[in-house]
C-alpha cells in the first residue's frame, strides 16, 4: 500500500497560518524593539484562535525592518509561534500599497475606477507571493495544513501546491469577491483564479461571494462547477464555500465587564451626558463614512428635537493614508465633520466628537457598552466585525444596531435596523426610529443578535474551516501514485489469487485499449478479447467494464461476454445476463440546446465533432488543433453555464473530449453500486482519465487502484500504458492458475 497516503495522524495536526500581516506590529525599533498587537479584522479575529492551536503564523511584521535587525526580530517572534517575512520599501509600496490596496481592494469593493493597473505592481505582487510561498515551503511538510488568508496572497495556494502537490491548503478571503462583470476588468484575472484554485478549500464570507468566485472560474478559466466547487488537474477537488467569520464573543463580554472598562464607560457617560451614537471604522472609502456623516446631518436637520440630546462619537482608525484616495477621503471627512460641528454646535454641545486615532481595547469596549446606537454603514464590507463586537459588548442589551444592508454581517444580524447608506433621507429616519425604539423591543432584538453571535463565534468559524481541511487531509489521496514494481505486482497477484470473490472495475479507452483518432476504431483486438474472456470465465470474478462510451458500441463489442458493463459514465448498467437498465430520473431533453451550442464550435474548429449518447453529449477534439480547441473550452463552458445550471448538468473534461452529462451520475456512483453487490475480498480499479478519479475516490481502504499514466491521482499505484495493464491482468490469471494447482512459486 502507498503508506504516504495513509500515515497521517490527527494528533499531530499543525496549521501554518499565512497572512499579509502578522498579528503584531513593531512599534519601536531603536535600542529596544517593541511589539504590540495589531488592529484590524483579521488580527482581532484570528488572534484568539491561533493562540489555542499548534500553529505557526507567517506574515509581514507591518514595517520595514533594517537587515541588521531582522535576525533579532525573527528570534523574538519565534516564541510567539510567529515567523516574519521582511519586505523592503519597494515591495511595501508596489505589492502592498500598489497591487493589494490600489488594485484589488478597490476593484473587489466595487470601486473599479479607483484601480490603477500598473504592470510594475503586478510584478511586485508576483514576486512577493513567491517569497511567501518559498518561506511556507521551508516550514511545511506534506502532513501540515496551510491556511492562507486574504487578497494579498491569492497566488500563494498554487505556488505552494506546485512544490508540494499532496499538501492540504485552505484559502479564506476576508473581503468580498466581486461579480464577474467587475472582476473581469482585472488584467491578471486568469493568474489570480489559477492561484486560488491551488487551494483545496476556497472560503468566502457569504454565499454571494462564493457564487461570484464560482462564476468567474467558469467564465474565465472554462472549468465547469462540480458540486460545490471544481475538479481541477488530475481529479483534485476544490471546494468553494461560505464561512461567515465572527468574533471571540466571550472575550468581548469579559472585556465589557472589566473594572477599567466600566470606569471608562462611566466617564464617557458623565462627560457626554446625552444619548450616544457610535461609529468605529478604519479610514476607508468602502466604509460609507461620508454617507453616514451626511445622514447624521440630515437627521439633525429633520429632527431638531434631538439637538443637544444626541452626540455622535466618530472614531476613525488611521489606515493607508499614504494612498492618494485615502488621503482625499480623510480631507473630505474632516471638512464634513467641521462643517456639521460648525453649523450645529452650541456653547455647551458639539454634535460630533470625531477622533482620528486608535484606542486601547478597554476604551473600545467602553465605547461599545455605553453607546445607545452603533451606526455601521459600509457601502460594501466582507463581513464587518465592529457590529458584532458592539452586540457582544452591549451587556445592558438596550442598544440599537443600525447596519448597512451591504455588510456581510447583515445576512446574519437580521434584527438590526437595516439601512442603505446611499439613501440619506431614510438613513436619517432610521436613526430617529432607533432612538425612539421602546426598551423591550431593543432588548429582545439585542438578545437574539447576541445569541446568534454566541452560537457562531470565531472558534466555531475556525473549527469549521480547519476541521474541513483536516478531514480532507485525512482522506485526501491526491499524490503521485507509486509505480507498480515487481514487489507490488507480486502483492497484487497474490491478493487476487487468495481472494474468494473479486471485483474488477476496468475503464476501457486508454486503459485496455490505446486511443484512436476515430473512437469507433477502438474495438477490442483479439488479444484483449481473449484476456477478458479468460478473466470473466473464472466464477469468482465479477468484471465491470466502466466506460464513458455509448451503450450500443459497448454492447456490440463486448455484449457476448459474461461481464457487467457501465456505459456513458453510469447512465446505463448491463448485468451479466445481458439486460440493460438505466438509473431513474435521467432525461435527455436538454440535448437539443447543448447540441446547438456545441455545433457552433464544431463549425469553428475543424476536426472536432459531436458524439450523441442517450443521456450525454461528447465533443471530441482529438483530430482538431489542440490549442485552438483548449482555448475554446473556456468559451464553451461560459456559453453552457445557464443550461448546465438549469438542467443540473456538468462538464467532464476527459482525454481530448469535453462531455456534458447529468451531475447525478459518475463512475464513482457506478463503482459503489457494484461494490455493494457482494462481499468482495479483492477489488481492483484501473483507469487513465479524470473521470476515473471518481471511481478511485470510492475505493475501500483495502482496494487496489491503479492509474494508467504518470500524473498525480487518487489511485494508489500507477502503470505506464494499456500494454502494462494487459500484462498485469494476464499475470493475475496465470497466478491464479498456479495457485489453484498449488504449484510452488519459483524463487
Ligand atoms: C476585513 C474585512 C471583515 C477598530 N478600531 C480599533 C480597533 N478596531 C478593530 C475592531 C475590529 C477591526 O478593527 C475592524 O474589523 P472590520 O471587520 O470592521 O474591518 P476590516 O479591518 O476592514 O476587516 C471585513 C474582516 O476583515 C474580518 O474578516 O469583517 O469585512 O474588510 O475588530 O475592533 N481595535 C482597537 N482599537 C481601535 O481603535 N483595539
Amino acid at each position: 500500500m502507498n503508506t504516504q497516503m495513509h500515515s497521517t495522524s490527527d494528533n499531530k495536526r499543525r496549521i501554518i497560518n499565512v497572512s499579509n500581516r502578522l498579528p503584531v506590529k513593531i512599534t519601536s525599533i531603536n535600542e529596544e524593539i517593541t511589539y504590540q498587537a495589531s488592529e484590524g479584522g483579521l488580527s482581532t479575529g484570528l488572534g484568539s484562535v491561533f493562540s489555542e492551536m499548534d500553529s505557526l503564523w507567517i506574515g509581514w511584521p507591518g514595517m520595514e525592518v533594517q537587515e541588521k535587525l531582522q535576525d533579532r526580530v525573527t528570534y523574538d517572534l519565534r516564541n510567539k509561534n510567529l515567523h516574519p517575512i521582511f519586505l523592503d520599501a519597494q515591495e511595501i509600496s508596489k505589492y502592498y500599497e500598489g497591487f493589494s490596496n490600489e488594485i484589488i481592494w478597490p476593484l473587489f469593493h466595487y470601486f473599479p475606477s479607483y484601480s490603477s493597473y500598473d504592470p510594475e505592481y503586478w510584478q511586485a505582487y508576483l514576486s512577493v507571493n513567491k517569497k511567501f510561498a518559498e518561506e511556507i515551503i521551508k516550514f511545511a511538510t506534506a502532513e501540515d495544513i496551510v491556511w492562507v488568508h486574504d487578497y494579498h496572497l491569492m497566488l500563494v495556494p498554487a505556488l505552494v501546491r506546485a512544490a508540494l502537490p499532496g499538501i492540504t491548503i485552505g484559502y479564506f478571503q476576508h473581503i468580498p469577491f466581486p461579480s464577474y462583470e467587475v472582476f473581469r476588468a482585472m488584467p491578471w484575472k486568469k493568474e489570480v483564479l489559477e492561484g486560488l484554485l491551488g487551494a483545496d478549500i476556497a472560503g468566502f464570507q457569504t454565499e454571494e461571494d462564493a457564487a461570484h468566485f464560482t462564476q468567474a472560474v467558469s467564465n474565465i478559466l472554462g472549468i465547469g462547477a462540480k458540486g460545490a466547487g471544481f475538479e481541477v488537474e488530475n481529479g483534485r477537488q476544490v471546494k468553494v464555500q461560505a464561512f461567515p467569520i465572527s468574533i471571540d464573543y466571550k472575550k468581548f463580554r469579559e472585556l465589557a465587564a472589566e473594572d477599567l472598562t466600566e470606569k471608562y464607560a462611566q466617564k464617557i457617560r458623565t462627560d457626554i451626558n446625552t444619548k450616544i451614537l457610535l461609529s468605529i471604522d478604519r479610514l476607508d472609502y468602502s466604509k460609507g463614512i461620508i454617507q453616514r456623516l451626511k445622514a447624521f446631518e440630515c437627521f439633525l436637520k429633520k429632527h431638531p428635537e434631538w439637538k443637544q440630546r444626541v452626540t455622535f462619537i466618530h472614531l476613525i482608525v488611521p489606515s493607508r493614508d499614504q494612498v492618494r484616495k485615502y488621503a482625499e477621503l480623510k480631507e473630505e471627512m474632516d471638512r464634513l465633520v467641521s462643517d456639521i460641528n460648525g453649523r450645529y454646535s452650541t456653547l455647551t454641545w458639539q454634535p460630533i466628537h470625531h477622533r482620528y486615532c486608535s484606542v486601547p481595547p478597554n476604551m473600545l469596549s467602553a465605547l461599545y457598552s455605553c453607546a445607545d446606537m452603533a451606526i455601521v454603514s459600509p457601502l460594501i464590507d466582507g463581513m464587518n466585525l465592529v457590529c458584532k463586537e458592539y452586540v457582544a459588548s452591549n451587556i445592558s442589551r438596550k442598544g440599537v444596531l443600525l447596519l448597512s444592508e451591504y455588510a456581510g454581517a447583515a445576512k446574519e444580524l437580521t434584527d438590526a435596523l437595516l439601512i442603505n447608506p446611499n439613501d440619506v433621507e431614510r438613513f436619517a429616519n432610521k436613526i430617529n426610529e432607533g432612538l425612539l425604539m421602546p426598551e423591550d423591543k431593543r432588548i429582545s432584538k439585542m438578545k437574539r443578535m447576541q445569541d446568534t453571535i454566541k452560537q457562531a463565534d470565531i472558534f466555531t468559524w475556525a473549527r469549521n474551516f480547519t476541521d474541513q481541511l483536516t478531514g480532507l487531509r485525512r482522506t485526501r489521496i491526491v499524490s503521485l501514485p507509486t509505480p507498480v514494481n515487481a514487489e507490488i505486482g507480486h502483492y497484487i497477484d497474490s491478493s487476487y489469487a487468495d481472494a474468494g470473490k473479486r471485483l474488477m472495475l476496468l475503464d476501457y479507452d486508454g486503459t485496455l485499449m490505446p486511443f484512436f483518432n476515430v473512437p469507433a476504431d477502438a474495438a477490442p483486438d483479439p488479444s484483449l478479447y481473449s484476456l477478458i474472456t479468460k478473466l470473466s470465465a473464472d466464477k469468482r470474478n465479477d468484471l465491470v467494464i466502466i466506460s464513458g462510451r455509448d451503450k450500443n458500441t459497448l454492447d456490440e463489442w463486448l455484449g457476448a461476454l459474461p461481464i457487467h458493463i457501465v456505459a456513458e459514465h453510469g447512465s446505463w448498467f448491463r448485468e451479466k445476463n445481458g439486460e440493460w437498465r438505466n438509473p431513474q430520473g435521467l432525461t435527455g431533453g436538454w440535448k437539443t440546446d447543448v447540441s446547438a451550442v456545441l455545433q457552433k464550435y464544431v463549425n469553428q474548429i475543424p476536426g472536432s465533432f459531436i458524439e450523441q449518447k442517450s443521456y450525454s453529449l461528447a465533443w471530441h477534439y482529438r483530430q482538431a488543433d489542440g490549442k485552438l480547441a483548449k482555448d475554446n473550452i473556456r468559451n464553451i463552458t461560459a456559453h453552457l453555464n445557464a443550461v448546465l445550471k438549469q438542467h443540473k448538468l456538468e462538464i467532464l473534461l476527459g482525454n481530448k473530449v469535453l462531455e456534458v452529462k447529468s451531475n447525478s451520475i459518475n463512475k464513482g456512483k457506478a463503482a459503489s453500486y457494484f461494490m455493494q453487490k457482494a462481499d468482495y475480498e479483492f477489488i481492483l480499479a484501473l483507469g487513465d482519465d479524470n473521470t476515473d478519479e471518481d471511481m478511485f475516490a470510492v475505493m475501500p481502504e483495502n482496494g487496489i487502484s491503479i492509474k494508467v499514466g504518470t500524473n498525480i491521482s487518487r489511485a494508489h499505484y500507477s502503470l505506464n500504458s494499456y500494454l502494462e495493464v494487459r500484462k498485469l491482468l494476464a499475470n493475475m490469471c496465470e497466478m491464479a492458475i498456479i495457485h489453484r494447482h498449488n504449484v510452488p512459486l519459483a524463487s
Side-chain angles (χ1 to χ4, degrees):
M1 283 294 201
N2 184 347
T3 47
Q4 184 199 351
M5 295 182 294
H6 301 283
S7 64
T8 52
S9 132
D10 215 23
N11 311 331
K12 256 196 74 207
R13 166 165 110 166
R14 193 172 71 136
I15 296 207
I16 300 183
N17 195 48
V18 190
S19 63
N20 171 58
R21 286 289 297 273
L22 282 176
V24 288
K25 61 180 177 189
I26 297 174
T27 44
S28 153
I29 198 128
N30 298 326
E31 285 101 75
E32 211 184 318
I33 306 174
T34 46
Y35 305 91
Q36 212 184 50
S38 55
E39 297 101 19
L42 207 150
S43 305
T44 325
L46 291 177
S48 312
V49 171
F50 287 101
S51 60
E52 297 202 347
M53 280 181 172
D54 176 9
S55 65
L56 174 71
W57 191 327
I58 298 179
W60 172 49
M63 71 180 295
E64 198 184 351
V65 178
Q66 295 165 41
E67 225 174 311
K68 61 175 191 204
L69 293 174
Q70 292 181 356
D71 284 350
R72 258 285 294 292
V73 173
T74 308
Y75 179 82
D76 288 350
L77 294 178
R78 190 171 300 160
N79 55 11
K80 300 185 205 296
N81 287 340
L82 305 176
H83 177 77
I85 292 200
F86 299 105
L87 301 180
D88 63 28
Q90 279 279 331
E91 290 170 328
I92 296 170
S93 140
K94 292 185 173 158
Y95 142 80
Y96 178 62
E97 284 155 12
F99 199 85
S100 304
N101 290 339
E102 279 186 58
I103 296 183
I104 305 180
W105 179 276
L107 188 70
F108 283 30
H109 286 88
Y110 295 82
F111 285 83
S113 62
Y114 285 23
S115 293
S116 104
Y117 300 112
D118 184 339
E120 281 191 21
Y121 290 175
W122 165 248
Q123 285 309 326
Y125 187 74
L126 192 60
S127 91
V128 173
N129 270 252
K130 280 187 183 154
K131 195 169 181 172
F132 269 79
E134 278 158 17
E135 213 60 22
I136 297 166
I137 293 158
K138 272 190 215 157
F139 286 98
T141 70
E143 306 281 291
D144 292 332
I145 286 173
V146 175
W147 189 0
V148 181
H149 292 268
D150 232 1
Y151 62 102
H152 315 86
L153 303 174
M154 293 194 285
L155 309 180
V156 165
L159 291 168
V160 173
R161 167 85 50 218
L164 294 166
I167 200 166
T168 307
I169 306 175
Y171 169 82
F172 182 76
Q173 184 156 303
H174 293 254
I175 66 169
F177 196 96
S179 72
Y180 167 67
E181 282 70 22
V182 170
F183 178 73
R184 69 179 176 164
M186 187 162 67
W188 307 279
K189 53 183 179 270
K190 191 164 164 278
E191 288 83 346
V192 162
L193 294 176
E194 284 168 350
L196 293 177
L197 288 182
D200 297 293
I201 298 182
F204 298 91
Q205 299 277 24
T206 64
E207 298 291 348
E208 223 166 49
D209 297 321
H212 286 162
F213 173 70
T214 304
Q215 198 195 5
V217 171
S218 301
N219 291 3
I220 295 165
L221 298 183
I223 306 175
K226 187 171 182 192
F230 296 96
E231 186 172 286
V232 288
E233 77 285 342
N234 306 302
R236 188 170 62 80
Q237 307 287 323
V238 180
K239 200 167 181 186
V240 179
Q241 201 181 317
F243 295 88
I245 199 170
S246 194
I247 57 160
D248 184 348
Y249 181 82
K250 195 162 157 264
K251 188 182 97 183
F252 278 93
R253 300 292 289 178
E254 287 167 0
L255 195 61
E258 280 181 17
D259 290 346
L260 185 59
T261 306
E262 187 42 40
K263 204 174 112 205
Y264 286 150
Q266 279 292 353
K267 173 114 179 60
I268 298 168
R269 276 188 213 108
T270 320
D271 287 354
I272 292 200
N273 201 22
T274 66
K275 291 257 184 201
I276 296 175
L277 310 184
L278 173 73
S279 277
I280 299 181
D281 278 308
R282 270 187 318 97
L283 177 73
D284 202 285
Y285 44 77
S286 67
K287 301 286 182 185
I289 297 171
I290 301 301
Q291 287 72 7
R292 74 167 166 252
L293 288 171
K294 288 185 175 159
F296 181 62
E297 181 177 18
C298 176
F299 159 76
L300 291 178
K301 204 188 289 170
K302 286 180 77 175
H303 298 281
E305 68 277 17
W306 283 109
K307 281 184 195 166
Q308 314 235 48
R309 293 171 55 214
V310 162
T311 305
F312 192 1
I313 301 183
H314 198 247
L315 178 70
I316 298 292
V317 181
S319 167
R320 306 174 196 171
D321 43 17
Q322 306 85 325
V323 176
R324 190 169 53 84
K325 288 289 175 197
Y326 288 75
E328 286 170 10
L329 169 68
K330 183 167 180 306
E331 243 176 63
E332 192 180 354
M333 169 184 78
D334 289 346
R335 204 175 42 240
L336 250 175
V337 169
S338 44
D339 277 1
I340 299 170
N341 277 343
R343 195 163 309 140
Y344 293 94
S345 287
T346 64
L347 280 180
T348 53
W349 172 69
Q350 181 177 306
I352 305 178
H353 282 221
H354 174 73
R355 301 285 312 280
Y356 185 62
C357 64
S358 69
V359 296
N362 287 97
M363 179 54 85
L364 184 79
S365 175
L367 288 168
Y368 284 145
S369 62
C370 62
D372 297 284
M373 182 188 298
I375 304 183
V376 179
S377 58
L379 299 169
I380 177 151
D381 213 334
M383 177 55 58
N384 193 289
L385 298 182
V386 168
C387 59
K388 293 192 173 181
E389 292 168 4
Y390 171 67
V391 169
S393 312
N394 204 258
I395 306 239
S396 72
R397 292 186 175 144
K398 291 182 189 164
V400 172
L401 174 65
L402 219 72
L403 178 62
S404 161
E405 59 181 292
Y406 306 124
K411 310 252 172 345
E412 289 167 85
L413 301 180
T414 45
D415 273 292
L417 289 185
L418 292 185
I419 45 132
N420 172 350
N422 295 309
D423 189 348
V424 170
E425 291 238 348
R426 286 205 188 108
F427 187 165
N429 291 343
K430 283 277 173 189
I431 299 178
N432 183 50
E433 184 187 324
L435 287 169
L436 295 177
M437 193 186 289
E439 186 174 303
D440 57 342
K441 193 168 172 194
R442 276 182 277 145
I443 291 178
S444 61
K445 275 174 168 286
M446 189 55 81
K447 176 164 185 331
R448 282 196 294 269
M449 291 195 282
Q450 289 181 343
D451 288 345
T452 303
I453 301 172
K454 194 166 151 190
Q455 272 158 27
D457 66 1
I458 185 79
F459 297 101
T460 318
W461 172 80
R463 209 177 310 118
N464 195 358
F465 199 97
T466 54
D467 280 357
Q468 291 211 32
L469 280 174
T470 313
L472 275 183
R473 190 191 63 173
R474 219 180 302 117
T475 52
R476 84 168 290 116
I477 1 206
V478 179
S479 61
L480 270 185
T482 312
V484 175
N485 54 21
E487 194 191 341
I488 296 170
H490 178 67
Y491 157 74
I492 297 173
D493 291 346
S494 50
S495 310
Y496 173 81
D498 290 345
K501 195 87 185 107
R502 310 163 184 140
L503 176 67
M504 284 182 262
L505 303 156
L506 308 176
D507 169 49
Y508 188 78
D509 294 276
T511 299
L512 296 173
M513 284 297 289
F515 285 105
F516 289 83
N517 280 343
V518 179
D521 291 348
D525 54 58
S527 130
L528 175 65
Y529 201 85
S530 105
L531 180 62
I532 301 178
T533 309
K534 216 190 258 177
L535 283 167
S536 59
D538 190 326
K539 293 272 173 296
R540 286 170 295 181
N541 289 353
D542 280 338
L543 215 73
V544 186
I545 299 293
I546 185 161
S547 169
R549 274 190 180 266
D550 70 285
K551 151 183 178 274
N552 294 342
T553 308
L554 289 169
D555 201 34
E556 185 191 317
W557 289 348
L558 301 164
L561 294 171
I563 59 172
H564 297 276
I565 301 176
V566 171
E568 298 184 26
H569 304 286
S571 301
W572 289 100
F573 289 71
R574 193 194 90 132
E575 300 298 336
K576 271 187 187 177
N577 63 11
E579 188 188 317
W580 282 94
R581 53 172 197 83
N582 67 328
Q584 300 211 322
L586 288 183
T587 55
W590 49 268
K591 286 200 302 176
T592 325
D593 291 351
V594 173
S595 260
V597 173
L598 293 179
Q599 189 55 47
K600 274 187 60 176
Y601 291 90
V602 169
N603 299 344
Q604 279 170 30
I605 301 168
S608 71
F609 64 91
I610 301 170
E611 184 189 355
Q612 293 275 349
K613 303 183 188 179
S614 340
Y615 297 106
S616 60
L617 282 174
W619 178 67
H620 291 268
Y621 58 90
R622 182 167 297 279
Q623 288 163 277
D625 173 339
K627 182 164 179 330
L628 180 66
K630 277 208 163 139
D631 287 350
N632 270 287
I633 286 181
R634 191 173 310 155
N635 304 337
I636 298 179
T637 311
H639 222 125
L640 289 175
N641 225 349
V643 67
L644 295 183
K645 244 188 221 151
Q646 187 192 346
H647 296 284
K648 299 204 169 75
L649 304 171
E650 68 183 13
I651 288 183
L652 275 185
L653 291 178
N655 198 316
K656 309 261 167 58
V657 59
L658 174 154
E659 190 147 358
V660 183
K661 63 164 192 63
S662 156
N663 65 14
S664 67
I665 51 157
N666 63 45
K667 286 190 180 180
K669 286 190 184 161
S672 301
Y673 164 79
F674 286 102
M675 283 179 205
Q676 280 150 24
K677 279 193 138 196
D679 213 357
Y680 293 107
E681 288 166 27
F682 175 89
I683 303 183
L684 171 73
L686 270 156
D688 70 303
D689 205 336
N690 274 350
T691 59
D692 299 311
E693 294 295 324
D694 289 327
M695 176 166 79
F696 299 147
V698 298
M699 285 293 278
E701 191 67 12
N702 59 354
I704 295 172
S705 49
I706 305 179
K707 165 97 177 170
V708 183
T710 49
N711 276 330
I712 64 165
S713 162
R714 286 193 177 85
H716 295 155
Y717 305 115
S718 68
L719 286 170
N720 284 317
S721 69
Y722 76 99
L723 291 171
E724 289 190 5
V725 171
R726 291 188 187 187
K727 199 162 150 211
L728 178 92
L729 294 174
N731 277 350
M732 282 161 47
C733 285
E734 284 302 306
M735 190 68 172
I737 294 165
I738 294 168
H739 191 82
R740 206 164 45 228
H741 297 298
N742 251 342
V743 178
L745 281 173
S747 60

